[in-house]
Amino acid sequence: MSHPFPIREIARQAGLSEATVDRVLNGRGGVRESTAREVQQAIADLDRQRTQVRLVGRTFMIDMVVQAPERFTTAVRAALEAELPSLHPAVVRSRFHFRETGPMPELTRTLDRIARRGSQGVILKAPDVPEVTAAVARLAEAGIPVVTLVTDLPSTARLAYVGIDNRAAGATAAYLMGQWLGDRPGNVLTSLSSGFFRNEEEREMGFRSAMRTRHPDRTLVEIAEGQGLDATQYDLVRAALERDPDIRAVYSIGGGNIATLRAFADLGRECAVFVAHDLDQDNTRLLREHRLSAVLHHDLRQDMREACHIVMRAHGALPPAGPTLPSAIQVVTPYNMPTPIG
């Protein structure tokens, strides 16, 4: 009787002694037919519960390496910790390596330390630059699976990407912008934290493409490299507003929205439509105060759960699955706010 389970596990499942199970499996006789059926049933039950059997007692140490403003890393940490109970009977422990900005060698040194020290997996949000590509290759050579989060690194040895279809998100923002601005005049400010994050580049491409098709006469004004940080964002937005008196709407791709609104207010300018991304603490408050028109959001808990499952599959602890699908894009207004994590 072929099976992958230890005799001890079968005996526990069947409620029989290990000696009895051994006699049944090796056809030694001296057991009733009903007992043999109980052993067969125990093996069938274990086979159906194979996932749980694989996971019992397994501990997965996962390193989260994220370059993003603190408001976003706080949301990521909360999402992962909220999902940990759903991953039982496996135990997932996490080490967090968060930074808002900084020189690229510091980020690659972090990834190389993980490669030397060892890890069951890395969940990574990082710029799409050659240094990161090389560091991900070194992680793969060390046998450490890498899952990209929110922004992809498709030319690397990463195992999978979890997050939204960013180009579709940008097109969705353009649709909302066009609907709400209507025929009113005014230019649209697009704001990126950095041109090196592929997700922001794809959002901007989707937004420009849809605006060009649906609203070809609407002028788009771009600012970038504010890193999503309020101090730098304020200066960039204020300078753009002073240069262009016709800006009256914002598509915020990279964050820093409190600073953006403060720049409008300090110059006595109206922001008629403001579409942003991610329900972090800042955007949640701004949306409740009706200072944002809408936030394009996705379920970070679902992303964390899927990323952990991908790591587990890489170690053979879960059965194979099909390709990872993009997360659903949610259009959140002050009237359909999701339940907070916690």
Side-chain angles (χ1 to χ4, degrees), residues 4-6 9-10 12-13 42-43 45-58 89-90 316-318:
F5 307 108
E9 195 69 39
I10 299 170
R12 187 184 317 149
Q13 182 75 23
I43 293 172
D45 291 343
L46 286 171
D47 193 57
R48 282 196 305 273
Q49 299 166 26
R50 185 186 296 261
T51 295
Q52 281 71 33
V53 171
R54 285 175 176 169
L55 289 175
V56 167
R58 293 288 296 271
L318 289 176

Side-chain angles (χ1 to χ4, degrees), residues 1-16:
M1 189 182 302
S2 178
H3 63 86
F5 307 108
I7 288 177
R8 180 182 297 109
E9 195 69 39
I10 299 170
R12 187 184 317 149
Q13 182 75 23
L16 300 169

Side-chain angles (χ1 to χ4, degrees), residues 270-290:
E270 177 199 15
C271 184
V273 181
F274 198 135
V275 179
H277 278 271
D278 301 319
L279 272 182
D280 55 37
Q281 290 182 348
D282 287 355
N283 285 345
T284 296
R285 178 168 63 82
L286 293 173
L287 194 59
R288 287 198 176 112
E289 294 171 354
H290 291 243

Side-chain angles (χ1 to χ4, degrees), residues 4 7 38 48 52 78-79 87 100 121 127 129 153 155 157-158 241 247 252 284 319 332:
I7 288 177
E38 288 176 3
R48 282 196 305 273
Q52 281 71 33
L87 301 173
E100 291 194 315
V129 295
L153 302 169
S155 62
R158 62 95 169 123
L241 293 175
I247 293 173
S252 174
T284 296
V332 183

